Structures are given as structure tokens and as C-alpha cells.
Amino acid sequence: MKIAMIGTGYVGLVTGTCFAEMGNQVFCVDVNEQKIEDLNNGNVPLYEPGLEKIVKENVERSTLSFTSKMEDIINNVEVCFIAVGTPMGEDGSADLSYVIGAAQQIGSLLTKDLIVVDKSTVPVGTTDLVNGTIQKELEKRGLKLDVQVVSNPEFLKEGAAVRDFMSPDRIVIGSSNQNAIQKIKDLYSPFVHNHDRILVMDEKSAELTKYAANAMLATKISFMNEMANISERVGADINMVRIGIGSDTRIGYDFIYPGCGYGGSCFPKDVRAIIKTAKDHNYQPEILKSVEKVNENQKMFLISKIEKVFGSDLSNLTFAVWGLAFKPGTDDMRESPAIPLIKEIVKRGGSVSAYDPKALDEARNHYLKDIENVTYENSKYDAINNADALILVTEWKEFRSPDFDLMKASLKKAIIFDGRNQYSKDKLESAGFAYHQVGVA
């Protein structure tokens, strides 16, 4: 099948490449011509395990190509995906300007029937908006074409996106048009041996499913962090509590690990967007408002731990920070808990020596580029050398079993603030460390 993919960001690039991997002819479109040139040369601008390899392979096979000229491909494809960004507006709503811009461009160039698939994460009702935008552009040109707009939200986890796409838990198709539904089913059939995983529903339900899924996962995280804060105050151990409740099959162990808050491109934006949607429809989503509030507070809990040890003035102190990405397996720092943590340390007069396996350039060139007194090291042990304490923010695998003897010798003070509860408190304290966890007194 010939497919157009508008947008070569995280979702568009993974989706387009995985479709190409199954033998489809995929044309990815982006307005950034330098990015297009890099991608055609096999250079991937983001870190996602396994992605660069299959991008290069499919470019070489000519099943995947990149262009900035929509007019060259839009009338030669059967399906066109919209996978552009929907950044958060100041009021928490999703900014649909890129989605609407893509729809306008489709409508202004199209001369044949087409199935348009909305892959971007969008508010309820956007499918109708995209359809109306395309039809308006067609009317300007005096054309009547059969354009079907389908909602097909993505459920990719950063750090496991290629695997998730190749072996999906479910594929949601939002449409009432049987021809469009069958076409999208055919497109996804190589990825699902069990067709029960393809869920067909109306467009608005499909759009809300994406937001509801992320809001539920964010709720589990904030709930567990709230339990951790209670646990610490009453003298319990949240690590034991987690095992106790996770063993209940109705709850399970996924997303009940306490920590320093969630981040990334999805959970924060989607929770705020669904809150805004609810308010726009005269409903106050009290649980979701609390989820967001708990998460924002949780991002500062490490500062409260540091303050209890060092006081509020951090002048002449250096803190090693392990982990800058919002989660392991990615270089994405959007809404990462490391950002407010580092900014607050510097604000209080301290310095930071930071290390992350993949996100150093993102920090240095974008998210922390204007923050003084931050240095970036090329190894975890370089970062802790002569630091007054270590703060663990992101649970990368290489942090799981470090050389504690070397750490103790390198740090000025054997103090660890663990924002992800990676280590055994008894083991570290017996080794002479002062070890501070989430949800443990």
C-alpha cells in the first residue's frame, strides 16, 4: 500500500518506518528540509532503540523516503496519516494549528478520493474538524471527492516504540465508514495475528480512548506517590506496600513504582488537555486535577530531602545528577523531573555535575542551555567525582549495579538521594551511605 505520513517527529517517524518495514511504500513529509535531507541519508534525529537501523534499511530498499513537497505525493497514495505535533497551549489545551495546517494542505492539493488518518493526539471532535477543513478547501476549488477521516490514536511508549508498534496491545480505529475501516484493518493486518486486538469504534470514542489511557496511567503514578508521602510520614516502607498491593491481580505491578514524578511528551500534556476538555463541557474533573497537582509537587520532593540534610542554602555545594531524560530508553527531556530539580539547586546557590547516557545534548543545547553552574560529564563516575551528594533521577539500567566502593571514594560525602528507589536501603546503610528514598522514613 502507498502511504503518506505528514510529520517526521517521534510518532510519524516510528509509524512510517514500521509500515515500510512490512513492505508498504511510505512517503514521509516534513517542512524542515535539513531534516528531510538527513533522514534520506539515514540520519535519525532522535534516540529510539532499534529505529535507526530499520530507517536505514528501508531507505536503502526504497520503501521509505522523505520529502518536503506534499504536492509530489499526495495524489499517489491511498492513505495519508497526519502525525504532527499538538503542543500544549497556555490554557492547557492542545494546539491544533499544525493538524489544521496539514488538513488545509491536503484539501488544497487533493484531486482524488483519499483516506486521511489522524494519528496525532488530539481532543475529542478533531476528526470532524479535520474533515470540515479538508472539505472547505475542496469547495474552494469546486471539487467533490470522497475523503474519509479516521481516528487512529497511537499508544507507543518511548524507549519501546518500535516493539510496541510491531506487537501492539491494541489498535483503535475510529470510523463509521466500512470501506475506510477495512482499509486500515488491511494496513495493520501484518502486525496482529489476533484480530481481537483491532478495536473499531466511533471517532469521538477513539479520540477519548487515547486521553483516557494516559490519564489512567498518570493517575496510578500520582496515587502511588501520594501513598509514598503518607508512608514516609507514618513510618511505613512504600516498597513493601507496593509489593502488597501489586500482588492483587486487579491492581498489578505496572505503574505503581513511587518516584519523583512523571514527565515526557504525553502524560503531562494529555492530563492537562483532558482537564481543559472537561471544563469546556462544564465538568470539573477533580481526580485529574489532583493527579496533576500531586505530580507537580512530587517533582520537588527531592529538594525537600536535600534541604533536610544541607539546609536551604546550597552555596559551595556540588550535586551529581544521574539521569536527565524523563525515563530510560530515550533522550526526551520534555517535562523531565530533572529540569525543575537542577534549576532549584542552582537557584539556591548550588552547582550540578550531570550525566545521562543519551540526553546530554538535549540538556546542554535546549532544556538547560541558559542555566549556569551546570557541567556535563561523559560517565556516571566522572559526574560524582568530588560531589557532595548523588541524586538519582532516571532509572537507566547502567545505574542499577554501580561500584559502590568507587562511589564512596569519589563523593565528598557518602550521601545518595534516590528518586526512583533503585537500591537496597539496608545494603547501602551497612556500607556507610546516608541513603534517602521515596516513601521510606
Side-chain angles (χ1 to χ4, degrees), residues 2-6 25-29 73-74 77 79-81:
K2 290 185 177 180
I3 304 165
M5 185 69 59
I6 304 177
Q25 183 76 44
V26 181
F27 307 92
C28 292
V29 185
I73 54 97
I74 191 63
V77 299
V79 180
C80 177
F81 283 78

Side-chain angles (χ1 to χ4, degrees), residues 373-388:
N373 299 321
V374 179
T375 59
Y376 302 96
E377 304 297 341
N378 292 321
S379 79
K380 59 182 181 286
Y381 297 122
D382 288 343
I384 64 173
N385 191 36
N386 289 320
D388 292 280

Side-chain angles (χ1 to χ4, degrees), residues 114-157:
L114 184 67
I115 296 172
V116 176
V117 181
D118 200 343
K119 198 71 175 172
S120 300
T121 300
V122 293
V124 176
T126 302
T127 301
D128 291 339
L129 183 60
V130 168
N131 183 56
T133 301
I134 294 172
Q135 293 301 329
K136 186 176 180 179
E137 292 297 322
L138 291 174
E139 288 170 9
K140 288 179 183 178
R141 299 162 55 219
L143 293 178
K144 289 186 178 180
L145 302 174
D146 183 12
V147 178
Q148 297 296 327
V149 182
V150 177
S151 175
N152 174 224
E154 57 87 12
F155 299 98
L156 305 177
K157 298 187 295 291

Side-chain angles (χ1 to χ4, degrees), residues 121-265:
T121 300
V122 293
V124 176
T126 302
T127 301
D128 291 339
L129 183 60
V130 168
N131 183 56
T133 301
I134 294 172
Q135 293 301 329
K136 186 176 180 179
E137 292 297 322
L138 291 174
E139 288 170 9
K140 288 179 183 178
R141 299 162 55 219
L143 293 178
K144 289 186 178 180
L145 302 174
D146 183 12
V147 178
Q148 297 296 327
V149 182
V150 177
S151 175
N152 174 224
E154 57 87 12
F155 299 98
L156 305 177
K157 298 187 295 291
E158 291 194 45
V162 173
R163 183 182 66 204
D164 286 348
F165 199 97
M166 293 296 189
S167 301
D169 292 327
R170 77 287 207 195
I171 295 164
V172 174
I173 301 172
S175 177
S176 57
N177 182 277
Q178 291 305 312
N179 289 333
I181 291 169
Q182 189 58 53
K183 179 70 75 172
I184 303 306
K185 280 185 174 182
D186 291 345
L187 184 58
Y188 277 106
S189 61
F191 302 96
V192 286
H193 299 295
N194 181 354
H195 283 268
D196 290 342
R197 293 187 179 184
I198 297 180
L199 310 176
V200 179
M201 59 189 73
D202 63 274
E203 296 89 341
K204 291 182 179 179
S205 295
E207 291 166 337
L208 185 56
T209 294
K210 167 65 175 182
Y211 279 122
N214 281 348
M216 172 60 80
L217 297 175
T219 299
K220 291 183 74 173
I221 294 170
S222 281
F223 173 82
M224 203 61 192
N225 283 333
E226 186 132 282
M227 290 299 103
N229 294 331
I230 295 171
S231 174
E232 186 170 334
R233 285 160 176 78
V234 301
D237 184 335
I238 194 60
N239 300 305
M240 297 295 102
V241 175
R242 179 184 63 79
I243 295 170
I245 67 173
S247 59
D248 187 328
T249 56
R250 296 170 301 175
I251 298 172
Y253 289 104
D254 291 341
F255 287 87
I256 62 167
Y257 287 84
C260 47
Y262 59 76
S265 63

Side-chain angles (χ1 to χ4, degrees), residues 260 302 320-328 330 332-333 336-339 341-342 352-360 363 368 377 379-380 383 390-396 398-399 420:
C260 47
L302 283 170
V321 172
W322 281 3
L324 299 171
F326 86 93
K327 63 179 284 188
T330 180
D332 193 346
M333 282 187 64
S336 170
I339 297 171
L341 169 72
I342 290 172
V352 171
S353 175
Y355 169 71
D356 186 282
K358 296 296 178 182
L360 288 179
L368 298 171
E377 304 297 341
S379 79
K380 59 182 181 286
L390 167 64
I391 307 169
L392 192 150
V393 179
T394 313
E395 63 277 31
W396 286 93
E398 70 171 88
F399 300 154
R420 299 298 178 185

